[in-house]
Amino acid sequence: MTEPRQLRLWAQGDAHVGRDLQFGRTSLSDALSQSEFGGDLGGPSFEWDFAVNVGDYCGYRDLPSDAEGEEIIKQFGVLKNHRREQIYSLSGNHDRNGLHQPDGAWFQKWIDPMGENTKFSGIDRAHYPFPIEGTWERYAIHAGNIVILMLSDVNEKTHKKGRGELEGNPGGVVTQETFEWWKDQVSKHRDKIVVTAHHYVLKETTFASGLWEGMRKDPEGNWIQDYHRYIEEGSPAGASFLCWVGGRFDSGQFERFLDDNPGAVDMWFAGHTHSNPDDRKGGRGCFERAYGNTMFMNICALTRYMVPDKAIPHSWLLTFTEGSDRVRAQCYMHTDEYRPQGWYDEAERWIDLTTEFRFDNA
């Protein structure tokens, strides 16, 4: 009997390449090399067909630089059995340009999801294993009957200060145009497995994603850094979730749409808030169902040194099996500070889908 075909999606992000490099660690290339050849601490290699990276390739609190872009491309170069184009990416808050610069200029030059700057990025759009449609800021990946909606984080135009001046400026942002595009895409693909990927989860979904949950108070009652730095002008109340939509803080547009359309989005991939796979805050963990029964998943991070008391390098492998309406999610530990390098079997889970996976998209 022939075994059903499988599709393996590697969910990863938050490499913060420049920050880890300051400590002698190559966060991105380490993970890529481990996937192909295994790790130096005993972690096995693993097969993957394509990857989704939820952003924050950049590692500094200042604006992204060409030097870091070149380092990121260098680290992508360790891939031997996969193409660079097998990794689909979106922009995180640390990948943003400053308010005085063109939107997404650094991200488009070096990460380049549209394949428009091949000279710098090495991306050839013709080599993507699955077709895409859209723009750098919002695009769809079509993999069999899975539709992945990739939403990049952008600067909030109502702010007088932005990325760079306010370091990471952590509150999540999309434009109204991106929200309307996303809503239209979700509505058009109700018969498909729909996945949303953004750098942030929505409010009150995974751990530390409620108002002010990215911060903590000192003994005098002042807000200070916890998962995220306290930056008064950077909407710290919403530091851990997608809080700005169409220029409105905590507008609830995504949340209301999902509640009004249960089952419309199967999964939501995000990162941004670094921790270990077992962390809980606000009564919530790294995988939680909310808003129309969507499974929200904090799948990060690859960094070890960006907020070092929180960052435990790990990622997730999702295996879709043809004819099955369940997906297997396996956690891979890239270092051994928290658990031995390799598969963290106790964290594995199965996620129910709204429909069976098929390789054809009919």
Side-chain angles (χ1 to χ4, degrees):
M1 182 177 178
T2 303
E3 291 292 321
R5 292 187 297 168
Q6 294 183 323
L7 181 69
R8 296 155 299 193
L9 190 168
W10 184 15
Q12 50 158 278
D14 288 82
H16 291 285
V17 167
R19 174 66 175 172
D20 276 38
L21 198 61
Q22 291 177 320
F23 293 85
R25 180 172 184 267
T26 50
S27 55
L28 179 61
S29 61
D30 280 4
L32 298 176
S33 180
Q34 287 163 13
S35 78
E36 294 191 332
F37 304 109
D40 57 356
L41 299 172
S45 62
F46 57 93
E47 296 291 336
W48 52 279
D49 299 300
F50 73 117
V52 168
N53 186 294
V54 296
D56 273 8
Y57 284 101
C58 284
Y60 301 116
R61 295 191 172 103
D62 202 356
L63 294 175
S65 68
D66 283 345
E68 190 166 12
E70 291 170 355
E71 174 62 29
I72 290 164
I73 299 306
K74 177 183 175 182
Q75 292 197 25
F76 273 127
V78 303
L79 288 171
K80 305 300 181 186
N81 302 326
H82 297 81
R83 297 189 65 95
R84 165 74 179 83
E85 291 86 356
Q86 285 173 263
I87 303 173
Y88 297 81
S89 302
L90 56 82
S91 173
N93 59 304
H94 281 266
D95 303 323
R96 300 176 188 163
N97 281 87
L99 284 173
H100 62 287
Q101 299 172 315
D103 252 351
W106 181 92
F107 180 74
Q108 292 182 75
K109 178 177 181 180
W110 292 106
I111 309 302
D112 190 22
M114 296 295 106
E116 296 171 338
N117 291 287
T118 305
K119 174 183 175 182
F120 300 100
S121 69
I123 286 283
D124 182 344
R125 184 167 172 172
H127 289 146
Y128 275 134
F130 304 107
I132 65 172
E133 57 182 17
T135 69
W136 74 269
E137 190 174 337
R138 46 188 176 265
Y139 67 96
I141 307 165
H142 297 269
N145 68 330
I146 302 171
V147 179
I148 305 174
L149 305 177
M150 303 283 283
L151 313 180
S152 277
D153 194 56
V154 297
N155 282 305
E156 177 46 49
K157 300 300 191 297
T158 62
H159 288 185
K160 294 181 179 179
K161 294 183 179 180
R163 173 77 172 95
E165 293 177 282
L166 299 181
E167 301 180 355
N169 192 20
V173 183
V174 297
T175 62
Q176 191 64 35
E177 291 78 12
T178 289
F179 172 73
E180 298 298 336
W181 175 88
W182 172 85
K183 187 169 63 172
D184 180 63
Q185 290 288 315
V186 171
S187 298
K188 287 196 307 188
H189 295 107
R190 289 301 300 266
D191 59 335
K192 305 291 177 65
I193 297 167
V194 177
V195 178
T196 298
H198 183 59
H199 189 58
Y200 299 74
V201 294
L202 295 183
K203 179 183 177 182
E204 296 179 355
T205 53
T206 59
F207 66 87
S209 59
L211 285 165
W212 289 108
E213 287 184 352
M215 311 293 159
R216 60 186 175 90
K217 287 189 174 182
D218 66 14
E220 287 73 45
N222 301 306
W223 288 109
I224 59 173
Q225 175 176 319
D226 190 11
Y227 294 89
H228 304 290
R229 289 174 66 85
Y230 177 82
I231 304 172
E232 186 175 358
E233 296 174 84
S235 54
S240 296
F241 67 94
L242 176 47
C243 61
W244 288 94
V245 180
R248 289 187 289 159
F249 179 80
D250 197 15
S251 73
Q253 292 187 76
F254 281 97
E255 294 88 340
R256 286 193 298 272
F257 179 86
L258 290 174
D259 271 341
D260 290 342
N261 296 273
V265 173
D266 291 82
M267 293 180 284
W268 185 296
F269 298 163
H272 180 64
T273 302
H274 313 156
S275 193
N276 65 71
D278 300 313
D279 197 8
R280 297 187 67 82
K281 185 172 182 179
R284 301 177 298 272
C286 64
F287 283 24
E288 297 287 345
R289 287 201 178 272
Y291 304 119
N293 206 34
T294 299
M295 178 61 82
F296 288 85
M297 305 165 58
N298 184 316
I299 50 87
C300 289
L302 296 180
T303 181
R304 178 65 188 90
Y305 294 103
M306 196 69 165
V307 194
D309 61 325
K310 301 291 185 185
I312 299 295
H314 67 284
S315 60
W316 289 83
L317 182 70
L318 282 79
T319 302
F320 296 83
T321 300
E322 191 162 37
S324 174
D325 61 359
R326 304 182 77 209
V327 59
R328 183 187 187 189
Q330 297 170 272
C331 182
Y332 192 96
M333 308 303 297
H334 292 281
T335 56
D336 66 351
E337 293 91 353
Y338 183 71
R339 290 288 187 275
Q341 186 185 69
W343 299 116
Y344 179 17
D345 292 336
E346 292 81 2
E348 181 178 319
R349 63 199 67 203
W350 288 83
I351 300 169
D352 293 330
L353 304 171
T354 54
T355 190
E356 296 178 353
F357 168 65
R358 302 187 306 274
F359 272 93
D360 67 273
N361 60 7

